[in-house]
Amino acid sequence: MKLIRSPFFYVGDKFKLLPQLLDNFPKDINIFIEPFCGGGSVFLNTNAREYLLNDIDYYMISLHKYISSFCNNKEDFFRNLIGIINKYKLSASFIGQLTPCEYKERFKKTYYAEYNKNCYYRMRDDFNNDKNNLILLYLLLIYGFNRMLRFNSKGEFNLPVGNVDFNYNVKNALDDYLNSLETKKVCFYNHDFETFICDINYNEDDFIYLDPPYLISSCEYNKMWNINHEERLLNLLDDLNNKNVRFAISNVIYHRNNHNDIFEEWSKKYNVVNIKSNYINYHDNTEKNSVEVLVKNYN
Ligand SMILES: C[S@@+](CC[C@H](N)C(=O)[O-])C[C@H]1O[C@@H](n2cnc3c(N)ncnc32)[C@H](O)[C@@H]1O
């Protein structure tokens, strides 16, 4: 099966681990429920009759809603996108707008960033003056450093320009996303996980997959996650288990000398599957500096 890459290129997404995760998912899913859907790598590659997708990140969910609204109108979407790329005079290899040779010669490793930076900062100012302009936000994500959604304390998008381009990988990911959303029945929500999980009436063939922030690894969205969140989530999962709702949760039990004792202790009640993660220690591949798991309450 061809795996679909999310067009949000979300930091910490589950794309590389998908084959192992999907192998462990139930085969018959009525409603697929994701309280921490992020860029959507997992739901895009899961078969179900319906999808309930949530994330606390307002702009991430707004982008999902905005881009998926074009799934029956892809030509308009790409026409708008190209119109804005041309308006700001950004480079875009997917439409043959390449960085001029003199930039490539002068800035051998940073020519995309050097060429696009003035246009990018103009686009960033325009978005910060009108935060409903989601197509600008998507382009800021694509041309931004490490492709992240990052806002300062005043609520302004503040990611610097990246050394990247709108290339065929982005175009293909958008095509795949729009085609997939055309066939899926999805609903997006923007709540804290507890409100989202508690608002659903579950049936026995529904399935919840959870990929929460990890207590012991560093990432922009992990900074807000603390022991209270972790305990609140694990208690909720015990409640769901008592109601015979199927779930599987990803987590990291050990990472760079940090141990998540709370999660490890809790997981002993369920089926723990070891996942081969990306964080192999290349100096000594017999020893991993991270232990990633998928914990399921079914066989
Ligand atoms: C590890 S990421 C999920 C990545 C996703 N599986 C993917 O493949 O793109 C964790 C997500 O949890 C979200 N999050 C953090 N705190 C949350 C909360 N209290 N309720 C719901 N979502 C939350 C973050 O915004 C982030 O998108």
PDB file of all heavy atoms in Angstrom, residues 10 12-15 34-42 54-57 191-193 209 211-213 221 225 229 232, ligand 1:
ATOM      1  N   TYR A  10       4.655  17.673   9.415  1.00  0.00           N
ATOM      2  CA  TYR A  10       4.611  18.010  10.841  1.00  0.00           C
ATOM      3  C   TYR A  10       5.824  17.470  11.596  1.00  0.00           C
ATOM      4  O   TYR A  10       6.167  16.287  11.475  1.00  0.00           O
ATOM      5  CB  TYR A  10       3.346  17.374  11.412  1.00  0.00           C
ATOM      6  CG  TYR A  10       2.738  18.113  12.574  1.00  0.00           C
ATOM      7  CD1 TYR A  10       2.244  19.394  12.421  1.00  0.00           C
ATOM      8  CD2 TYR A  10       2.629  17.503  13.809  1.00  0.00           C
ATOM      9  CE1 TYR A  10       1.660  20.055  13.483  1.00  0.00           C
ATOM     10  CE2 TYR A  10       2.042  18.162  14.875  1.00  0.00           C
ATOM     11  CZ  TYR A  10       1.567  19.437  14.698  1.00  0.00           C
ATOM     12  OH  TYR A  10       0.992  20.095  15.740  1.00  0.00           O
ATOM     13  N   GLY A  12       7.851  15.659  14.185  1.00  0.00           N
ATOM     14  CA  GLY A  12       7.468  14.546  15.072  1.00  0.00           C
ATOM     15  C   GLY A  12       6.284  13.763  14.537  1.00  0.00           C
ATOM     16  O   GLY A  12       5.597  13.094  15.314  1.00  0.00           O
ATOM     17  N   ASP A  13       6.019  13.821  13.228  1.00  0.00           N
ATOM     18  CA  ASP A  13       4.879  13.044  12.720  1.00  0.00           C
ATOM     19  C   ASP A  13       5.195  11.543  12.748  1.00  0.00           C
ATOM     20  O   ASP A  13       6.315  11.134  13.053  1.00  0.00           O
ATOM     21  CB  ASP A  13       4.436  13.522  11.327  1.00  0.00           C
ATOM     22  CG  ASP A  13       5.408  13.113  10.230  1.00  0.00           C
ATOM     23  OD1 ASP A  13       6.276  12.252  10.482  1.00  0.00           O
ATOM     24  OD2 ASP A  13       5.289  13.652   9.116  1.00  0.00           O
ATOM     25  N   LYS A  14       4.176  10.759  12.455  1.00  0.00           N
ATOM     26  CA  LYS A  14       4.341   9.318  12.598  1.00  0.00           C
ATOM     27  C   LYS A  14       4.596   8.647  11.242  1.00  0.00           C
ATOM     28  O   LYS A  14       4.482   7.432  11.121  1.00  0.00           O
ATOM     29  CB  LYS A  14       3.073   8.716  13.237  1.00  0.00           C
ATOM     30  CG  LYS A  14       3.033   8.903  14.736  1.00  0.00           C
ATOM     31  CD  LYS A  14       3.947   7.900  15.418  1.00  0.00           C
ATOM     32  CE  LYS A  14       4.168   8.147  16.874  1.00  0.00           C
ATOM     33  NZ  LYS A  14       5.157   9.127  17.230  1.00  0.00           N
ATOM     34  N   PHE A  15       4.955   9.428  10.232  1.00  0.00           N
ATOM     35  CA  PHE A  15       5.027   8.879   8.885  1.00  0.00           C
ATOM     36  C   PHE A  15       5.949   7.651   8.804  1.00  0.00           C
ATOM     37  O   PHE A  15       5.560   6.613   8.290  1.00  0.00           O
ATOM     38  CB  PHE A  15       5.478   9.968   7.899  1.00  0.00           C
ATOM     39  CG  PHE A  15       5.472   9.496   6.483  1.00  0.00           C
ATOM     40  CD1 PHE A  15       4.271   9.292   5.812  1.00  0.00           C
ATOM     41  CD2 PHE A  15       6.656   9.228   5.815  1.00  0.00           C
ATOM     42  CE1 PHE A  15       4.246   8.832   4.500  1.00  0.00           C
ATOM     43  CE2 PHE A  15       6.642   8.776   4.509  1.00  0.00           C
ATOM     44  CZ  PHE A  15       5.442   8.576   3.851  1.00  0.00           C
ATOM     45  N   GLU A  34      -9.032  10.409  16.566  1.00  0.00           N
ATOM     46  CA  GLU A  34      -7.656  10.827  16.902  1.00  0.00           C
ATOM     47  C   GLU A  34      -7.693  12.125  17.700  1.00  0.00           C
ATOM     48  O   GLU A  34      -7.875  13.199  17.141  1.00  0.00           O
ATOM     49  CB  GLU A  34      -6.868  11.066  15.602  1.00  0.00           C
ATOM     50  CG  GLU A  34      -5.777  10.060  15.374  1.00  0.00           C
ATOM     51  CD  GLU A  34      -4.743  10.548  14.378  1.00  0.00           C
ATOM     52  OE1 GLU A  34      -5.078  10.623  13.184  1.00  0.00           O
ATOM     53  OE2 GLU A  34      -3.608  10.831  14.792  1.00  0.00           O
ATOM     54  N   PRO A  35      -7.474  12.063  19.013  1.00  0.00           N
ATOM     55  CA  PRO A  35      -7.516  13.282  19.843  1.00  0.00           C
ATOM     56  C   PRO A  35      -6.319  14.205  19.618  1.00  0.00           C
ATOM     57  O   PRO A  35      -6.378  15.368  19.973  1.00  0.00           O
ATOM     58  CB  PRO A  35      -7.487  12.738  21.274  1.00  0.00           C
ATOM     59  CG  PRO A  35      -7.873  11.301  21.157  1.00  0.00           C
ATOM     60  CD  PRO A  35      -7.380  10.841  19.828  1.00  0.00           C
ATOM     61  N   PHE A  36      -5.187  13.666  19.066  1.00  0.00           N
ATOM     62  CA  PHE A  36      -3.978  14.476  18.856  1.00  0.00           C
ATOM     63  C   PHE A  36      -3.536  14.291  17.401  1.00  0.00           C
ATOM     64  O   PHE A  36      -2.500  13.679  17.139  1.00  0.00           O
ATOM     65  CB  PHE A  36      -2.843  13.990  19.785  1.00  0.00           C
ATOM     66  CG  PHE A  36      -3.202  13.906  21.243  1.00  0.00           C
ATOM     67  CD1 PHE A  36      -3.715  12.724  21.791  1.00  0.00           C
ATOM     68  CD2 PHE A  36      -3.020  15.000  22.088  1.00  0.00           C
ATOM     69  CE1 PHE A  36      -4.033  12.633  23.139  1.00  0.00           C
ATOM     70  CE2 PHE A  36      -3.332  14.913  23.439  1.00  0.00           C
ATOM     71  CZ  PHE A  36      -3.843  13.739  23.968  1.00  0.00           C
ATOM     72  N   CYS A  37      -4.308  14.789  16.458  1.00  0.00           N
ATOM     73  CA  CYS A  37      -4.065  14.367  15.065  1.00  0.00           C
ATOM     74  C   CYS A  37      -2.905  15.099  14.397  1.00  0.00           C
ATOM     75  O   CYS A  37      -2.368  14.622  13.404  1.00  0.00           O
ATOM     76  CB  CYS A  37      -5.331  14.476  14.227  1.00  0.00           C
ATOM     77  SG  CYS A  37      -5.735  16.159  13.745  1.00  0.00           S
ATOM     78  N   GLY A  38      -2.461  16.249  14.926  1.00  0.00           N
ATOM     79  CA  GLY A  38      -1.327  16.973  14.328  1.00  0.00           C
ATOM     80  C   GLY A  38      -1.534  17.158  12.830  1.00  0.00           C
ATOM     81  O   GLY A  38      -2.610  17.551  12.362  1.00  0.00           O
ATOM     82  N   GLY A  39      -0.493  16.842  12.046  1.00  0.00           N
ATOM     83  CA  GLY A  39      -0.557  16.999  10.591  1.00  0.00           C
ATOM     84  C   GLY A  39      -1.402  15.958   9.885  1.00  0.00           C
ATOM     85  O   GLY A  39      -1.634  16.073   8.677  1.00  0.00           O
ATOM     86  N   GLY A  40      -1.819  14.906  10.598  1.00  0.00           N
ATOM     87  CA  GLY A  40      -2.766  13.948  10.026  1.00  0.00           C
ATOM     88  C   GLY A  40      -2.170  12.735   9.337  1.00  0.00           C
ATOM     89  O   GLY A  40      -2.894  11.979   8.683  1.00  0.00           O
ATOM     90  N   SER A  41      -0.855  12.485   9.514  1.00  0.00           N
ATOM     91  CA  SER A  41      -0.224  11.330   8.841  1.00  0.00           C
ATOM     92  C   SER A  41      -0.952  10.029   9.125  1.00  0.00           C
ATOM     93  O   SER A  41      -1.002   9.147   8.269  1.00  0.00           O
ATOM     94  CB  SER A  41       1.198  11.109   9.343  1.00  0.00           C
ATOM     95  OG  SER A  41       1.961  12.216   9.109  1.00  0.00           O
ATOM     96  N   VAL A  42      -1.497   9.899  10.320  1.00  0.00           N
ATOM     97  CA  VAL A  42      -2.053   8.595  10.695  1.00  0.00           C
ATOM     98  C   VAL A  42      -3.445   8.405  10.093  1.00  0.00           C
ATOM     99  O   VAL A  42      -3.701   7.400   9.415  1.00  0.00           O
ATOM    100  CB  VAL A  42      -2.040   8.395  12.223  1.00  0.00           C
ATOM    101  CG1 VAL A  42      -2.586   7.017  12.584  1.00  0.00           C
ATOM    102  CG2 VAL A  42      -0.628   8.549  12.756  1.00  0.00           C
ATOM    103  N   ASN A  54      -8.987  15.618  16.119  1.00  0.00           N
ATOM    104  CA  ASN A  54      -8.891  16.758  17.026  1.00  0.00           C
ATOM    105  C   ASN A  54      -7.440  17.141  17.270  1.00  0.00           C
ATOM    106  O   ASN A  54      -6.539  16.289  17.245  1.00  0.00           O
ATOM    107  CB  ASN A  54      -9.521  16.350  18.374  1.00  0.00           C
ATOM    108  CG  ASN A  54      -9.433  17.443  19.417  1.00  0.00           C
ATOM    109  OD1 ASN A  54     -10.116  18.455  19.304  1.00  0.00           O
ATOM    110  ND2 ASN A  54      -8.567  17.258  20.414  1.00  0.00           N
ATOM    111  N   ASP A  55      -7.223  18.424  17.509  1.00  0.00           N
ATOM    112  CA  ASP A  55      -5.922  18.879  18.009  1.00  0.00           C
ATOM    113  C   ASP A  55      -6.171  20.207  18.711  1.00  0.00           C
ATOM    114  O   ASP A  55      -7.058  20.969  18.316  1.00  0.00           O
ATOM    115  CB  ASP A  55      -4.918  19.065  16.868  1.00  0.00           C
ATOM    116  CG  ASP A  55      -3.482  19.056  17.370  1.00  0.00           C
ATOM    117  OD1 ASP A  55      -3.035  20.083  17.939  1.00  0.00           O
ATOM    118  OD2 ASP A  55      -2.797  18.028  17.217  1.00  0.00           O
ATOM    119  N   ILE A  56      -5.346  20.480  19.731  1.00  0.00           N
ATOM    120  CA  ILE A  56      -5.536  21.739  20.466  1.00  0.00           C
ATOM    121  C   ILE A  56      -4.983  22.929  19.689  1.00  0.00           C
ATOM    122  O   ILE A  56      -5.301  24.071  19.995  1.00  0.00           O
ATOM    123  CB  ILE A  56      -4.880  21.636  21.864  1.00  0.00           C
ATOM    124  CG1 ILE A  56      -5.530  22.639  22.810  1.00  0.00           C
ATOM    125  CG2 ILE A  56      -3.380  21.843  21.791  1.00  0.00           C
ATOM    126  CD1 ILE A  56      -5.236  22.356  24.263  1.00  0.00           C
ATOM    127  N   ASP A  57      -4.179  22.654  18.678  1.00  0.00           N
ATOM    128  CA  ASP A  57      -3.553  23.726  17.900  1.00  0.00           C
ATOM    129  C   ASP A  57      -4.567  24.315  16.918  1.00  0.00           C
ATOM    130  O   ASP A  57      -4.920  23.698  15.912  1.00  0.00           O
ATOM    131  CB  ASP A  57      -2.321  23.163  17.166  1.00  0.00           C
ATOM    132  CG  ASP A  57      -1.530  24.257  16.468  1.00  0.00           C
ATOM    133  OD1 ASP A  57      -2.155  25.206  15.961  1.00  0.00           O
ATOM    134  OD2 ASP A  57      -0.300  24.148  16.433  1.00  0.00           O
ATOM    135  N   HIS A 191     -10.266  21.080  20.396  1.00  0.00           N
ATOM    136  CA  HIS A 191     -10.525  21.081  21.842  1.00  0.00           C
ATOM    137  C   HIS A 191      -9.330  20.502  22.588  1.00  0.00           C
ATOM    138  O   HIS A 191      -8.464  19.858  21.997  1.00  0.00           O
ATOM    139  CB  HIS A 191     -11.716  20.156  22.170  1.00  0.00           C
ATOM    140  CG  HIS A 191     -12.997  20.569  21.530  1.00  0.00           C
ATOM    141  ND1 HIS A 191     -13.511  21.832  21.636  1.00  0.00           N
ATOM    142  CD2 HIS A 191     -13.877  19.849  20.785  1.00  0.00           C
ATOM    143  CE1 HIS A 191     -14.654  21.892  20.982  1.00  0.00           C
ATOM    144  NE2 HIS A 191     -14.898  20.707  20.451  1.00  0.00           N
ATOM    145  N   ASP A 192      -9.347  20.657  23.882  1.00  0.00           N
ATOM    146  CA  ASP A 192      -8.441  19.885  24.712  1.00  0.00           C
ATOM    147  C   ASP A 192      -8.892  18.418  24.609  1.00  0.00           C
ATOM    148  O   ASP A 192     -10.093  18.144  24.444  1.00  0.00           O
ATOM    149  CB  ASP A 192      -8.548  20.374  26.161  1.00  0.00           C
ATOM    150  CG  ASP A 192      -7.753  19.508  27.096  1.00  0.00           C
ATOM    151  OD1 ASP A 192      -6.525  19.448  26.940  1.00  0.00           O
ATOM    152  OD2 ASP A 192      -8.370  18.852  27.964  1.00  0.00           O
ATOM    153  N   PHE A 193      -7.941  17.480  24.691  1.00  0.00           N
ATOM    154  CA  PHE A 193      -8.274  16.072  24.437  1.00  0.00           C
ATOM    155  C   PHE A 193      -9.414  15.544  25.307  1.00  0.00           C
ATOM    156  O   PHE A 193     -10.223  14.731  24.868  1.00  0.00           O
ATOM    157  CB  PHE A 193      -7.018  15.179  24.602  1.00  0.00           C
ATOM    158  CG  PHE A 193      -6.485  15.126  26.003  1.00  0.00           C
ATOM    159  CD1 PHE A 193      -6.980  14.221  26.923  1.00  0.00           C
ATOM    160  CD2 PHE A 193      -5.476  15.989  26.425  1.00  0.00           C
ATOM    161  CE1 PHE A 193      -6.502  14.165  28.223  1.00  0.00           C
ATOM    162  CE2 PHE A 193      -4.989  15.950  27.719  1.00  0.00           C
ATOM    163  CZ  PHE A 193      -5.505  15.042  28.619  1.00  0.00           C
ATOM    164  N   TYR A 209      -6.896   6.186  18.265  1.00  0.00           N
ATOM    165  CA  TYR A 209      -5.433   6.163  18.250  1.00  0.00           C
ATOM    166  C   TYR A 209      -4.949   7.479  18.858  1.00  0.00           C
ATOM    167  O   TYR A 209      -5.419   8.550  18.477  1.00  0.00           O
ATOM    168  CB  TYR A 209      -4.875   5.999  16.831  1.00  0.00           C
ATOM    169  CG  TYR A 209      -3.390   6.252  16.816  1.00  0.00           C
ATOM    170  CD1 TYR A 209      -2.520   5.379  17.471  1.00  0.00           C
ATOM    171  CD2 TYR A 209      -2.847   7.393  16.230  1.00  0.00           C
ATOM    172  CE1 TYR A 209      -1.160   5.631  17.527  1.00  0.00           C
ATOM    173  CE2 TYR A 209      -1.492   7.661  16.274  1.00  0.00           C
ATOM    174  CZ  TYR A 209      -0.653   6.767  16.927  1.00  0.00           C
ATOM    175  OH  TYR A 209       0.690   7.020  16.992  1.00  0.00           O
ATOM    176  N   ASP A 211      -1.626   9.927  19.890  1.00  0.00           N
ATOM    177  CA  ASP A 211      -0.199  10.257  19.783  1.00  0.00           C
ATOM    178  C   ASP A 211       0.021  11.581  20.517  1.00  0.00           C
ATOM    179  O   ASP A 211       0.213  12.632  19.903  1.00  0.00           O
ATOM    180  CB  ASP A 211       0.173  10.383  18.286  1.00  0.00           C
ATOM    181  CG  ASP A 211       1.658  10.638  18.102  1.00  0.00           C
ATOM    182  OD1 ASP A 211       2.438  10.290  19.002  1.00  0.00           O
ATOM    183  OD2 ASP A 211       2.036  11.183  17.036  1.00  0.00           O
ATOM    184  N   PRO A 212      -0.012  11.532  21.847  1.00  0.00           N
ATOM    185  CA  PRO A 212       0.076  12.782  22.631  1.00  0.00           C
ATOM    186  C   PRO A 212       1.503  13.314  22.628  1.00  0.00           C
ATOM    187  O   PRO A 212       2.438  12.609  22.213  1.00  0.00           O
ATOM    188  CB  PRO A 212      -0.307  12.323  24.039  1.00  0.00           C
ATOM    189  CG  PRO A 212       0.123  10.901  24.090  1.00  0.00           C
ATOM    190  CD  PRO A 212      -0.071  10.348  22.720  1.00  0.00           C
ATOM    191  N   PRO A 213       1.707  14.558  23.081  1.00  0.00           N
ATOM    192  CA  PRO A 213       3.077  15.029  23.293  1.00  0.00           C
ATOM    193  C   PRO A 213       3.758  14.084  24.287  1.00  0.00           C
ATOM    194  O   PRO A 213       3.106  13.512  25.150  1.00  0.00           O
ATOM    195  CB  PRO A 213       2.881  16.409  23.921  1.00  0.00           C
ATOM    196  CG  PRO A 213       1.511  16.829  23.506  1.00  0.00           C
ATOM    197  CD  PRO A 213       0.707  15.564  23.458  1.00  0.00           C
ATOM    198  N   TYR A 221       5.539  21.434  20.778  1.00  0.00           N
ATOM    199  CA  TYR A 221       4.243  21.176  21.398  1.00  0.00           C
ATOM    200  C   TYR A 221       4.350  20.349  22.688  1.00  0.00           C
ATOM    201  O   TYR A 221       3.370  20.132  23.365  1.00  0.00           O
ATOM    202  CB  TYR A 221       3.269  20.499  20.411  1.00  0.00           C
ATOM    203  CG  TYR A 221       3.844  19.336  19.665  1.00  0.00           C
ATOM    204  CD1 TYR A 221       4.221  18.170  20.315  1.00  0.00           C
ATOM    205  CD2 TYR A 221       4.011  19.407  18.297  1.00  0.00           C
ATOM    206  CE1 TYR A 221       4.743  17.112  19.623  1.00  0.00           C
ATOM    207  CE2 TYR A 221       4.542  18.337  17.593  1.00  0.00           C
ATOM    208  CZ  TYR A 221       4.909  17.199  18.268  1.00  0.00           C
ATOM    209  OH  TYR A 221       5.448  16.148  17.583  1.00  0.00           O
ATOM    210  N   TRP A 225       3.015  20.279  27.848  1.00  0.00           N
ATOM    211  CA  TRP A 225       2.530  18.998  28.368  1.00  0.00           C
ATOM    212  C   TRP A 225       3.228  18.681  29.685  1.00  0.00           C
ATOM    213  O   TRP A 225       4.454  18.684  29.752  1.00  0.00           O
ATOM    214  CB  TRP A 225       2.821  17.908  27.327  1.00  0.00           C
ATOM    215  CG  TRP A 225       2.128  16.612  27.595  1.00  0.00           C
ATOM    216  CD1 TRP A 225       2.669  15.503  28.160  1.00  0.00           C
ATOM    217  CD2 TRP A 225       0.769  16.276  27.280  1.00  0.00           C
ATOM    218  NE1 TRP A 225       1.731  14.499  28.229  1.00  0.00           N
ATOM    219  CE2 TRP A 225       0.558  14.956  27.692  1.00  0.00           C
ATOM    220  CE3 TRP A 225      -0.295  16.967  26.697  1.00  0.00           C
ATOM    221  CZ2 TRP A 225      -0.662  14.306  27.538  1.00  0.00           C
ATOM    222  CZ3 TRP A 225      -1.507  16.332  26.537  1.00  0.00           C
ATOM    223  CH2 TRP A 225      -1.682  15.013  26.951  1.00  0.00           C
ATOM    224  N   HIS A 229      -1.284  16.580  32.714  1.00  0.00           N
ATOM    225  CA  HIS A 229      -1.894  16.164  31.443  1.00  0.00           C
ATOM    226  C   HIS A 229      -1.768  14.645  31.278  1.00  0.00           C
ATOM    227  O   HIS A 229      -2.699  13.956  30.900  1.00  0.00           O
ATOM    228  CB  HIS A 229      -1.176  16.811  30.251  1.00  0.00           C
ATOM    229  CG  HIS A 229      -1.406  18.277  30.114  1.00  0.00           C
ATOM    230  ND1 HIS A 229      -0.616  19.205  30.737  1.00  0.00           N
ATOM    231  CD2 HIS A 229      -2.331  18.972  29.407  1.00  0.00           C
ATOM    232  CE1 HIS A 229      -1.045  20.427  30.410  1.00  0.00           C
ATOM    233  NE2 HIS A 229      -2.094  20.306  29.614  1.00  0.00           N
ATOM    234  N   ARG A 232      -4.096  12.758  33.609  1.00  0.00           N
ATOM    235  CA  ARG A 232      -5.482  12.967  33.174  1.00  0.00           C
ATOM    236  C   ARG A 232      -5.770  12.060  31.969  1.00  0.00           C
ATOM    237  O   ARG A 232      -6.813  11.416  31.895  1.00  0.00           O
ATOM    238  CB  ARG A 232      -5.617  14.449  32.788  1.00  0.00           C
ATOM    239  CG  ARG A 232      -6.988  14.992  32.674  1.00  0.00           C
ATOM    240  CD  ARG A 232      -7.027  16.515  32.923  1.00  0.00           C
ATOM    241  NE  ARG A 232      -6.173  17.344  32.110  1.00  0.00           N
ATOM    242  CZ  ARG A 232      -6.517  17.854  30.915  1.00  0.00           C
ATOM    243  NH1 ARG A 232      -7.693  17.596  30.408  1.00  0.00           N
ATOM    244  NH2 ARG A 232      -5.686  18.627  30.251  1.00  0.00           N
TER     245      ARG A 232
HETATM  246  C1  LIG B   1       3.057  14.058  18.627  1.00  0.00           C
HETATM  247  S1  LIG B   1       2.010  15.296  17.983  1.00  0.00           S
HETATM  248  C2  LIG B   1       0.918  14.406  16.955  1.00  0.00           C
HETATM  249  C3  LIG B   1       1.546  14.147  15.616  1.00  0.00           C
HETATM  250  C4  LIG B   1       0.650  13.385  14.664  1.00  0.00           C
HETATM  251  N1  LIG B   1       0.471  11.999  15.083  1.00  0.00           N
HETATM  252  C5  LIG B   1       1.206  13.407  13.257  1.00  0.00           C
HETATM  253  O1  LIG B   1       1.546  12.341  12.707  1.00  0.00           O
HETATM  254  O2  LIG B   1       1.337  14.508  12.681  1.00  0.00           O
HETATM  255  C6  LIG B   1       1.053  15.729  19.376  1.00  0.00           C
HETATM  256  C7  LIG B   1      -0.062  16.728  19.113  1.00  0.00           C
HETATM  257  O3  LIG B   1      -0.813  16.930  20.316  1.00  0.00           O
HETATM  258  C8  LIG B   1      -1.338  18.254  20.293  1.00  0.00           C
HETATM  259  N2  LIG B   1      -1.708  18.603  21.683  1.00  0.00           N
HETATM  260  C9  LIG B   1      -0.933  19.056  22.695  1.00  0.00           C
HETATM  261  N3  LIG B   1      -1.648  19.222  23.824  1.00  0.00           N
HETATM  262  C10 LIG B   1      -2.920  18.861  23.544  1.00  0.00           C
HETATM  263  C11 LIG B   1      -4.134  18.812  24.290  1.00  0.00           C
HETATM  264  N4  LIG B   1      -4.156  19.165  25.594  1.00  0.00           N
HETATM  265  N5  LIG B   1      -5.275  18.374  23.691  1.00  0.00           N
HETATM  266  C12 LIG B   1      -5.244  18.035  22.371  1.00  0.00           C
HETATM  267  N6  LIG B   1      -4.136  18.080  21.593  1.00  0.00           N
HETATM  268  C13 LIG B   1      -2.980  18.473  22.166  1.00  0.00           C
HETATM  269  C14 LIG B   1      -0.213  19.086  19.705  1.00  0.00           C
HETATM  270  O4  LIG B   1      -0.713  20.299  19.159  1.00  0.00           O
HETATM  271  C15 LIG B   1       0.370  18.121  18.649  1.00  0.00           C
HETATM  272  O5  LIG B   1      -0.195  18.389  17.396  1.00  0.00           O
END
